[in-house]
Amino acid sequence: MSDLAHKLLQALDKAPVADTSVAFPDVESTVMLGALKSLASRSMVTYETKEEDYWVLTAEAEEIVEKGSHEMRLLEEVTKRVEGLKLSDVAKVLGASGKLGQQKAFKNGWVKKDGDKLVASVTSTPEDTTADDLKTIQATGTLGDAKELAELKKRKLVNKVKKVTYSVAKGPEFALEIQKLETDLTSDMLQNGSWKKLPFKPYNFNAEGAPTAAGALHPLTKVREEFRQIFFAMGFTEMATNQFVDSGFWNFDALFVPQQHPARDLQDTFYIKDPVKADEPEDKEYWAKVKQVHQDGAFGSIGYRYPWSADESLRLVLRTHTTAVSTKVLHQLAKDPKPARFFSIDRVFRNEAVDATHLAEFHQIEGVIADYGLSLGDLIGFMNRFFTRMGVKQLRFKPAYNPYTEPSLEIFAWHSGLNKWIEIGNSGMFRPEMLQAMGLPEGMQVHGFGLSLERPTMIKYGLSNIRDLVGHKVNLSFIENNAAVRLDEDLV
Ligand code: FB9
């Protein structure tokens, strides 16, 4: 046990310690607390904690106590000169103190302007209350006049300090000697029975366990899992999305996105330099149908009627949406077309302007539902059921445009916190030019919908800047300490 503990016991043997900061002025309160906790755990002492605020002087205030206040020193320099002190000489004569003292000297009515000079407006030397107050604080740690104290704080001449002290008394097991307590029960003690006579340190059942340096799930991961469970509960199968680079064919052409579409421009899409182009898809019939539907029209569509470029279609891109993956999955489904539901949640990349809520990449949540005889009403009904599962009950739908779906609908929800309708996703019925080109039967329709993962996560965790969620500026303690997430509570 520490030397301090022994000194404390010796002091207590004479009398209770009313204030440890007086009895042991050189001991930090944190060190004192350690000794007290150790003795208290053996019931050798009892103690009470006392917290009090007191005031200490800044370096500038220490100088005022020594040399007088800025305003007093200015008055002295003015009074020394019969004709007064030139304003242009104040800094030369008094340095920074001159400027600091002028306002207070004027406010006290000690000096006044006379042309380009300062002259005294008092006939006798006034009380230097600033210096006097600071000397009082220096001696006692406080000042009776709260208004004066507030002004000294405003002038940054004093700072508040919290003082923690303890009053200590003898405990029921008080003794001058500190008995060594066993902390570990050993097999020898059990075998030879010595444990019966040995003093053991009592268990501290209130002690908190040492924090374990465990890992932590990122909020996006937690919200992603919530969405995955909702999709699984609604009969969806997860798509494999571990391929970020794809050809323009799968990302655009197969979705009936024309090769002149602005989404395919460099300012919207990240193109890969090397390798220069992808391999043609194995399904040559599909490749030919996609070309045909763009160039000449097919499946009841007049197409876009432009010379479709195979090279353009084989340029490699960072996928701009996970719909590129949905297209591949639907193309596989066409080999045995039966009702199916697929979903994906993964990163997509867009070469767009970044701002507080948008980065060049985000996680897209996407679902596709393939079935026979689907209508737009079925899509609207499904979206209501999907979002109801995360507490979003009041939806509105607005006609929109996507090259690959017709009709398309933007989805809105009423955000009670923001008191307005917010866009929560996009959806539509995939076009026949896309579906029949891959070989899906004419009677089969496919609904598609999408939203981002970042937006609901930011709302859930009350974040306004996406850089607090992803990127090198993320506060790791936020990642380690944020709450578990449940999407079935009202989210908007
Ligand atoms: O996520 C979005 N907003 C959102 C989503 C959820 C939410 O809380 C949950 C309800 C509980 C709150 C907000 N948006 C889509 C809307 C806006 O944030 C928008 O500004 C940003 N959008 C992204 C794309 O913008 C470059 C969000 C992202 C988005 C948009 C469309 C799709 C996917 C992601 C799609 C699609 C689609 C359509 C038809 C067929 C297949 C896929």
Side-chain angles (χ1 to χ4, degrees):
M1 185 72 72
S2 70
D3 187 35
L4 173 61
H6 283 102
K7 286 179 181 168
L8 200 49
L9 293 173
Q10 283 154 10
L12 282 172
D13 196 32
K14 297 183 179 65
V17 173
D19 183 333
T20 51
S21 66
V22 173
F24 301 89
D26 301 330
V27 178
E28 285 286 320
S29 60
T30 49
V31 174
M32 178 56 73
L33 181 59
L36 288 171
K37 281 185 171 180
S38 179
L39 293 171
S41 71
R42 299 159 176 259
S43 304
M44 297 178 76
V45 302
T46 60
Y47 67 94
E48 285 180 11
T49 304
K50 290 188 292 182
E51 290 188 0
E52 56 187 82
D53 292 334
Y54 67 100
W55 297 87
V56 294
L57 271 52
T58 62
E60 182 186 347
E62 299 279 1
E63 189 187 71
I64 288 172
V65 167
E66 186 190 340
K67 298 177 182 175
S69 66
H70 302 303
E71 57 272 24
M72 181 55 78
R73 280 184 255 168
L74 177 65
L75 177 62
E76 287 163 358
E77 290 302 331
V78 168
T79 310
K80 274 182 195 172
R81 295 161 176 79
V82 173
E83 72 287 0
L85 174 63
K86 280 185 107 181
L87 281 160
S88 55
D89 290 345
V90 170
K92 198 178 344 175
V93 171
L94 286 159
S97 172
K99 189 169 174 50
L100 290 167
Q102 278 192 55
Q103 185 180 6
K104 184 70 175 169
F106 276 111
K107 190 178 169 187
N108 290 353
W110 294 358
V111 297
K112 63 185 176 186
K113 265 189 191 173
D114 180 4
D116 63 347
K117 295 190 183 67
L118 287 177
V119 296
S121 44
V122 287
T123 52
S124 61
T125 305
E127 195 61 39
D128 189 353
T129 51
T130 297
D132 295 344
D133 289 347
L134 290 174
K135 285 170 187 165
T136 305
I137 290 169
Q138 193 174 48
T140 66
T142 186
L143 186 67
D145 185 327
K147 190 167 173 292
E148 285 297 323
L149 182 57
E151 186 180 331
L152 292 172
K153 184 175 181 303
K154 191 177 173 189
R155 291 175 68 181
K156 295 186 172 41
L157 294 175
V158 292
N159 289 321
K160 187 191 289 191
V161 177
K162 185 178 289 295
K163 181 165 95 172
V164 179
T165 64
Y166 307 95
S167 58
V168 194
K170 288 179 179 177
E173 302 296 326
F174 179 81
L176 282 172
E177 287 310 313
I178 298 168
Q179 192 181 35
K180 182 182 179 309
L181 292 180
E182 298 297 333
T183 53
D184 299 316
L185 179 62
T186 65
S187 55
D188 290 346
M189 293 174 185
L190 290 171
Q191 283 168 8
N192 62 31
S194 62
W195 62 271
K196 294 172 188 166
K197 297 188 179 65
L198 288 173
F200 282 91
K201 181 181 179 188
Y203 276 111
N204 173 6
F205 291 103
N206 300 316
E208 291 188 2
T212 52
L217 290 175
H218 190 283
L220 281 177
T221 304
K222 292 192 268 193
V223 174
R224 180 175 180 275
E225 190 55 30
E226 289 295 302
F227 275 103
R228 288 180 83 242
Q229 294 309 319
I230 289 173
F231 276 114
F232 290 136
M234 298 183 84
F236 285 74
T237 303
E238 189 162 23
M239 295 185 265
T241 53
N242 55 337
Q243 179 183 318
F244 292 173
V245 173
D246 224 321
S247 66
F249 177 81
W250 289 109
N251 198 79
F252 295 120
D253 296 283
L255 284 77
F256 197 53
V257 177
Q259 294 184 339
Q260 310 83 345
H261 194 284
R264 300 180 75 149
D265 292 349
L266 277 172
Q267 64 265 31
D268 284 78
T269 298
F270 290 109
Y271 283 87
I272 307 298
K273 275 187 182 157
D274 180 17
V276 170
K277 66 177 186 177
D279 300 332
E280 283 190 10
E282 288 167 15
D283 185 337
K284 299 307 174 197
E285 187 185 346
Y286 183 30
W287 170 259
K289 281 182 179 170
V290 168
K291 172 177 180 179
Q292 180 194 7
V293 79
H294 278 250
Q295 191 165 279
D296 311 312
F299 317 115
S301 165
I302 60 173
Y304 294 117
R305 284 154 294 151
Y306 69 89
W308 186 79
S309 157
D311 284 347
E312 178 59 33
S313 183
L314 294 177
R315 293 177 70 189
L316 286 161
V317 301
L318 277 176
R319 68 181 179 214
T320 61
H321 48 197
T322 45
T323 322
V325 182
S326 305
T327 306
K328 287 187 181 175
V329 169
L330 291 170
H331 175 244
Q332 286 303 318
L333 181 69
K335 292 173 181 161
D336 178 14
K338 51 192 173 192
R341 295 181 168 192
F342 300 104
F343 83 93
S344 63
I345 305 175
D346 210 334
R347 292 161 73 177
V348 296
F349 309 87
R350 298 196 185 177
N351 189 7
E352 287 176 343
V354 297
D355 60 24
T357 56
H358 292 83
L359 293 174
E361 66 175 86
F362 65 92
H363 291 76
Q364 180 173 340
I365 298 169
E366 176 161 336
V368 294
I369 301 168
D371 206 339
Y372 295 93
L374 287 178
S375 70
L376 186 62
D378 295 320
L379 174 58
I380 291 173
F382 175 82
M383 297 318 308
N384 276 300
R385 291 193 302 279
F386 178 76
F387 282 108
T388 297
R389 285 176 175 265
M390 54 198 85
V392 180
K393 299 180 179 64
Q394 208 182 349
L395 294 187
R396 277 188 178 172
F397 298 86
K398 180 181 163 190
Y401 172 76
N402 296 316
Y404 38 87
T405 54
E406 184 57 37
S408 305
L409 297 173
E410 281 172 348
I411 308 162
F412 289 80
W414 179 254
H415 192 298
S416 50
L418 300 175
N419 205 32
K420 66 175 185 178
W421 290 93
I422 62 164
E423 185 187 347
I424 61 169
N426 191 302
S427 63
M429 298 182 72
F430 286 110
R431 299 179 70 116
E433 294 91 335
M434 171 181 163
L435 301 180
Q436 293 180 37
M438 58 175 70
L440 285 170
E442 207 170 325
M444 177 173 264
Q445 292 81 28
V446 181
H447 288 159
F449 65 93
L451 60 152
S452 81
L453 180 62
E454 283 76 5
R455 295 293 288 133
T457 304
M458 287 173 71
I459 290 175
K460 188 69 193 173
Y461 284 93
L463 300 174
S464 54
N465 193 317
I466 197 164
R467 287 161 189 75
D468 296 329
L469 186 66
V470 290
H472 66 287
K473 292 185 178 175
V474 169
N475 175 348
L476 288 183
S477 65
F478 162 69
I479 302 297
E480 287 161 1
N481 303 314
N482 61 68
V485 70
R486 281 180 52 189
L487 276 187
D488 59 356
E489 296 157 347
D490 281 350
L491 195 64
V492 288

